[in-house]
Amino acid sequence: MSKPSARSRLADSAFALFDERGYEQTTVDDIAERAGLGRTTFFRHYRSKEDVIFPDHDRLLDLIRDRLATSSHSTALVAVSDAVRLVLLHYLDEGDLARRRYMLTSKVAALRDREIASVARYQRLFREFIGDWMGDEAKSASLRAELMSAAVVAAHNHVLRRWLRGETTDPVGEVDEAMRDVLALFPTGGSPTSGAGTTVVAFRTGQDIDALLPSLRRLVEGGAEY
């Protein structure tokens, strides 16, 4: 069996100390010492102890951006679903580490704030992509792009939270189903099919948006783990 990398040793040590002493009471020096490494090595891998908890957001944003960039107008909605699945699979691959992060961020307000800020970055990326795909600069189109991007992120987070809490054994299947529901709300010029049998229809009136808001609000208020 290969020896754990310095990066993984630091992460394991950090979470162990957070559990034992609390996040605020744990220092970078404590983490490096527990891992049997030096302070310089710590900063070679992480910018701060907070960064140990959220190490991959920038890489995930790049993965989303790259997947969306490979799409055409006709495959844009498939790309959105694929991008969401990429992020979910990342958390599934983390396994217990993702669950430990979830527990920690639910207890520490500063970490919760950091996570909310990270979610906003994901949502902005989807909003900009969806807005460009719609190609409509009208005020109402801007609102639809905002609502759609929020729905995309909320659907992912809803399924992710269920997996983190041990409420589902098929998170990939659930996120695919959730995205079919979300993408069915997206406006298009017609009613094409997008990936996995998703039928896409248009917002017909303001009542459609009003009907979406309560459900969307419940999902968003449930938390932000994206």
Side-chain angles (χ1 to χ4, degrees), residues 5-6 10 22-23 33 39 52 56 73 78 80 90 92 112 114 143 153 188 191 196:
S5 67
L10 287 165
Y23 174 78
E33 182 179 359
R39 182 182 176 88
V52 179
D56 295 318
H73 188 273
V78 175
V80 169
H90 168 80
L92 298 183
R112 186 67 171 173
R114 162 72 181 267
L143 173 60
V153 172
T188 67
S191 296

Side-chain angles (χ1 to χ4, degrees), residues 141-203:
S142 176
L143 173 60
R144 288 197 298 273
E146 190 75 59
L147 287 170
M148 288 175 228
S149 61
V152 167
V153 172
H156 169 275
N157 286 349
H158 176 74
V159 175
L160 176 60
R161 286 193 300 273
R162 281 178 45 76
W163 175 74
L164 290 168
R165 294 192 295 255
E167 297 172 357
T168 177
T169 58
D170 184 23
V172 174
E174 286 197 13
V175 85
D176 286 343
E177 182 179 357
M179 287 306 299
R180 284 195 290 271
D181 290 342
V182 168
L183 296 185
L185 300 168
F186 279 31
T188 67
S191 296
T193 298
S194 172
T198 302
T199 300
V200 183
V201 298
F203 280 114

Side-chain angles (χ1 to χ4, degrees), residues 61-124:
L61 282 167
D62 287 341
L63 286 174
I64 291 174
R65 192 177 291 108
D66 290 346
R67 177 61 188 94
L68 296 178
T70 64
S71 68
S72 64
H73 188 273
S74 62
T75 62
L77 300 187
V78 175
V80 169
S81 284
D82 285 349
V84 168
R85 195 181 298 109
L86 279 172
V87 179
L88 179 67
L89 289 173
H90 168 80
Y91 285 110
L92 298 183
D93 286 343
E94 284 189 323
D96 186 58
L97 180 61
R99 293 189 173 93
R100 295 171 75 181
R101 181 190 300 113
Y102 177 64
M103 296 298 295
L104 185 62
T105 54
S106 68
K107 299 174 184 177
V108 182
L111 298 179
R112 186 67 171 173
D113 291 343
R114 162 72 181 267
E115 194 160 49
I116 290 171
S118 296
V119 171
R121 294 176 65 195
Y122 287 103
Q123 186 168 321
R124 181 170 63 249

